[in-house]
Structure formats: C-alpha cells, structure tokens
Amino acid sequence: MKILIVAASALVMGIVLGLVWAAACRNAERNRRRKRARDRPASMERNTPRLETTKVIIWVCLLMGFAWVWCSYYLAYTDHEQIAESLSQVAVTEIIGVVLAYCIKSAVENLSKNNRWPDKGQPPENEPTEDGDQAAG
C-alpha cells in the first residue's frame, strides 16, 4: 500500500509541476508578444511565429526522457536497482541524443542561411566583397 501511495503522489506531483510549467511558459510567451506588439509600429502586420514540428518533437522527446529518469528513481526506491540503472542509461542517452541532433540540425540550417555558397550568386550591394571594397551596383 505504501508503494501505491508513493507512486500516486509522484504521478500527481509530476502532473501538477507539468501544468505549472506549461502555464508559466504560456504567460511568458503572452507577455513577450504584448511587448513586441507595443514596440512595433502600427503599419507593420502582425505575423505570429509558427511552432515548428521539429521543436514539438524535440520537446516531447525531452519530456519523455525526463519522465523516464524520474521513473528510474522510483524503481530504485522500490529495490529494482538493475532495471532502474538500465532505464536511467537509456533515458540520459535519449536526452543527450535528442539535444545533440537538434543542435546539429540548427547549426546546419544557420550555416546554410547565413553563408554565401557558390550557388547563391553575388553578395548584396551593402556587403563588402573579398577585396574589402563595396560591391558595385
């Protein structure tokens, strides 16, 4: 019975903390949007940023990884050390792998967006060329 109470309280605590975190993130995003709307001239259109699918997948994988880590703590508490150890290793590997994969994807996107590749053509007029002079228009 004691194990059931600990498991139920851990589940309730996780749900409550998750809801508090989600509400705090939502309120922070609202405040940022309001501040941007105040600072923006009236002539500009309101373009809301779209949430990318990759970011949603990354967040889901990270949250699942953290949930696995907490489940491994519960298993260790209930004297299932071998299962808890292997679950912790898999969870930490998933967390590190997901974050590393996203960082590599983001770095490649930024390089592609900000570099002047040979197939992109000449740089714009206001950017200096290789010899230091302004590009002629």
Side-chain angles (χ1 to χ4, degrees), residues 29 32-38 40-51:
E29 182 62 28
R32 272 182 269 171
R33 286 183 183 171
R34 286 180 187 152
K35 184 178 178 188
R36 275 190 253 140
R38 282 193 309 255
R40 183 180 328 163
S43 62
M44 289 182 63
E45 291 182 20
R46 182 174 181 190
N47 293 330
T48 57
R50 295 186 62 185
L51 192 59

Side-chain angles (χ1 to χ4, degrees), residues 51-112:
L51 192 59
E52 297 176 15
T53 306
T54 309
K55 288 183 181 180
V56 172
I57 293 171
I58 295 296
W59 277 108
V60 168
C61 290
L62 283 175
L63 292 175
M64 289 298 293
F66 286 122
W68 287 354
V69 170
W70 281 105
C71 288
S72 69
Y73 289 148
Y74 172 73
L75 287 170
Y77 177 76
T78 59
D79 296 328
H80 297 95
E81 289 88 10
Q82 186 176 6
I83 298 170
E85 183 179 342
S86 63
L87 182 62
S88 291
Q89 289 173 350
V90 170
V92 170
T93 302
E94 180 189 334
I95 292 170
I96 292 171
V98 166
V99 170
L100 185 63
Y102 185 72
C103 290
I104 290 171
K105 174 199 158 286
S106 180
V108 169
E109 282 180 356
N110 286 337
L111 280 175
S112 178

Side-chain angles (χ1 to χ4, degrees), residues 18-32 59:
L19 291 174
V20 168
W21 177 75
C25 289
R26 188 179 64 216
N27 288 337
E29 182 62 28
R30 277 187 192 156
N31 290 339
R32 272 182 269 171
W59 277 108

